[in-house]
Amino acid sequence: MTKDTALDLGWAPSACTLPTAEQPLRVAEFDALFAEAVQAITRPERTRLRLELVFGPDNAARAAELTARENGCCSFFTFALTVAGGTLTLEVAVPPEHVEVLDALQARAGATAGSV
């Protein structure tokens, strides 16, 4: 992965405070989560993405830790992790001015999900 990969994917708008050198590593972490845990992807609204994850405490902890770190550098994201009735869902929302970042995240999740 090149240093500019996160920027090329539309994941790193100017509002992102993660150092550029660390952005490809974060993309790789999301890729691994998508590949190993995502079962289904839906887009209930233009500004909201829903990822259904393989149920389990490890995936819940992993998603929580990764999204907490992501929110630290891209505070425009709103993440909601829901555990209910034997399901695990990660919802990602953005304000309208950052919908292109959500588009890129959805494209990456769709391309990577279940690839392990």
Side-chain angles (χ1 to χ4, degrees), residues 16-93:
C16 181
T17 61
L18 186 67
T20 303
E22 294 178 31
Q23 290 173 7
L25 300 173
R26 183 67 53 84
V27 170
E29 288 181 276
F30 272 101
D31 281 351
L33 178 68
F34 297 154
E36 298 164 13
V38 171
Q39 299 182 111
I41 302 166
T42 56
R43 188 81 176 256
E45 297 174 17
R46 186 173 158 273
T47 57
R48 193 165 49 103
L49 177 66
R50 180 179 295 136
L51 304 171
E52 293 178 30
L53 307 178
V54 174
F55 183 76
D58 290 343
N59 285 333
R62 183 177 177 193
E65 190 272 334
L66 179 57
T67 57
R69 285 189 294 120
E70 185 64 18
N71 196 250
C73 63
C74 292
S75 61
F76 59 85
F77 278 119
T78 299
F79 296 102
L81 188 62
T82 304
V83 180
T87 65
L88 179 60
T89 304
L90 176 62
E91 289 206 15
V92 185

